[in-house]
Amino acid sequence: MKIYTILLLIIGYLPTSAQHSGSKLVSVEGKKMTYKTFNLENRKDGEPILVFEAGLGGGTFDPILPYLPANIGGIEYERNGLGNSEADSNILSDSQVVERLHSMLQSLNIKPPYLLVGHSIGGPYIRLFAAKFPNEVSGLVLSDPTDFMLTKEEDERAKIKSESKTGYQEISTIIIKSLSQNKNVSQGTRNDAARALNSNSKGFFIEYTDLPALDKKIATTVIISYNKYIETPDEEMNRNLNLGINFKAWWKEYDNLRIEHFSDLIKDNDNSKIILLPKYSHGIHYQNPELVAKLIVENYKSYVK
């Protein structure tokens, strides 16, 4: 199975095996969900706990864990339909994904504050969580997040300016639809893609258009890769689907917009920062887990005085 660079930026790294070894099951609203915790016994009352949200199709943050100090506890989980978590046809929107995560944390009696870490499309999900439960969130760490703030007008301008035929929003729909029908990936990945496709059926990240400003007390760290290498499979996809993408110019326009959007998102927030990593891959936490762990710890310490 070929995995395109552009696909990875939209969805994340597809897992090749079950996400968690030694994971546990909990019933949440009548559906079983898979999770794994670490260092919970070392957490003190009132200290943040890490909550990890993977990209579309799932994934793991395990490479980060060895670089975290023993006093910081956390939880990884699989969304409904992924891995061993039971599918739930009633979950159709991003809001329902976020609310189900919140219900799971309550079922496990994992009390806030939460320091949410989201990769790829997990970035938008944790932003939505912070909008719905702002008083329960201490911080956000967004690792190469999908640009949920991209407007239709910006998308059109970027497409024209890069002299390309296909814009980001259109290619996102094409790829997620293809993934939802791809029998070479797991059923869980197809489930996750189908749900995301449904969520965007009325518009690109339409649930996010009127979110309240990010609570200024929520420390936010945004990590962005840019000026990426153009891989051979990307060029093949471009030709085979007749997308007409002028990749270097195309990425430059959309990278600049993403940097602008996330910089604006955090401009009023205390203890917040944006980290730009040229020529990094989308899977920053695989490529440099020590760096991502360091940034998570800095965010954690900004809350724990």
Side-chain angles (χ1 to χ4, degrees), residues 213-214 216 260-270 272:
L214 193 60
K216 66 174 296 183
E260 177 186 333
H261 292 154
F262 282 97
S263 296
D264 188 62
L265 176 70
I266 68 172
K267 69 180 186 300
D268 293 323
N269 278 60
D270 300 333
S272 296

Side-chain angles (χ1 to χ4, degrees), residues 9 144 223-228 255 258 275-284:
L9 183 58
D144 220 31
I223 316 166
I224 291 180
S225 69
Y226 72 105
N227 193 27
K228 303 162 193 67
D255 280 344
R258 191 161 61 124
I275 309 295
L276 304 180
L277 300 174
K279 297 184 179 179
Y280 262 66
S281 71
H282 181 47
I284 297 169

Side-chain angles (χ1 to χ4, degrees), residues 217-231:
K217 297 188 297 296
I218 298 175
T220 303
T221 306
V222 185
I223 316 166
I224 291 180
S225 69
Y226 72 105
N227 193 27
K228 303 162 193 67
Y229 292 108
I230 308 303
E231 306 287 351

Side-chain angles (χ1 to χ4, degrees), residues 1 3-4 63 110 114-115 129 145 155 158 161 185 224 229 231 246:
M1 176 180 62
I3 308 261
Y4 305 117
I110 296 177
Y114 307 121
L115 198 173
F129 190 106
D155 189 43
K161 194 170 180 180
V185 301
I224 291 180
Y229 292 108
E231 306 287 351
N246 180 14

